[in-house]
Amino acid sequence: MAAEAGRVDPMHQFAIEPLFGSANWQLAGYNIAFTNSALWMMIAALALWIFVAGGMKRALVPGRWQMAVETFTGFIDDMLATNVGKEGKKYVPYIFSLFMFILFANLLGLIPLPLAMVGVHAFTTTSHFTLTGVLAILSFSIVLVVGFWKHGLHFFSLFVPHGTPLPMVPLIFLVELFSFLVRPFSLGLRLFVAMMAGHVLLEILASFIIDSSNAGLGWGVLIGTPSFFLMLAICALEVLVAGIQAYVFALLTSLYINDAENLH
């Protein structure tokens, strides 16, 4: 949390900052600084790898770790079977990785303590549209590749619902095409806004607690105490939102894949 002249800037927590003296690193004329965002993406990916590796022992009597991994994979498998059908089985690794990476990235951003070894505070990578947008475009690209690979130009029939009157076809086609092209933007924007809004609210409540405590005992009790308990409630809600947003992203991706796989 940054403060200047007694003011708290709730947006400072989202600033991209180079680490380990990498601000001037260059490659072919481009700055390739290693940033806090890159660090926490790597931490999220490493946490996902450790989680999956720890659950791949295939013990006859599975332990808690293996059961946790199998529970999540079974959850994703059931979701794809429901939304895509038998063809959804081959997308389990991708949707599982997508869901778990977003979940870990969301939860890691809620860690309240800095990394003492390197002096880096927790950073929510999913609060930046650059990351959520890339994940959305990646998912959208899979839909396009699968759709045209399986159906060829017939994939365009997705934009003309069955039974549409012939005079309405051009208009409906344009509307449906625009709605389809907006999907990656809305998919990435939803996650980005949800994570940013929650963290901004937590920062504002924290500033209420600090400012009211500095103003005196009376203000600390009157303003700081309820703000503190409200912040605890918001923190608990943010943990829930972290899981919900990961699920929504994976669910919508599976629904988009269904459009490509099961063209009506």
Side-chain angles (χ1 to χ4, degrees), residues 131-151:
L131 174 63
T132 62
V134 167
L135 293 177
I137 291 174
L138 178 61
S139 299
F140 189 69
S141 298
I142 291 175
V143 173
L144 291 177
V145 170
V146 171
F148 284 110
W149 181 269
K150 291 195 63 175
H151 307 288

Side-chain angles (χ1 to χ4, degrees), residues 122-133:
F123 185 85
T124 309
T125 58
T126 47
S127 65
H128 280 261
F129 190 63
T130 49
L131 174 63
T132 62

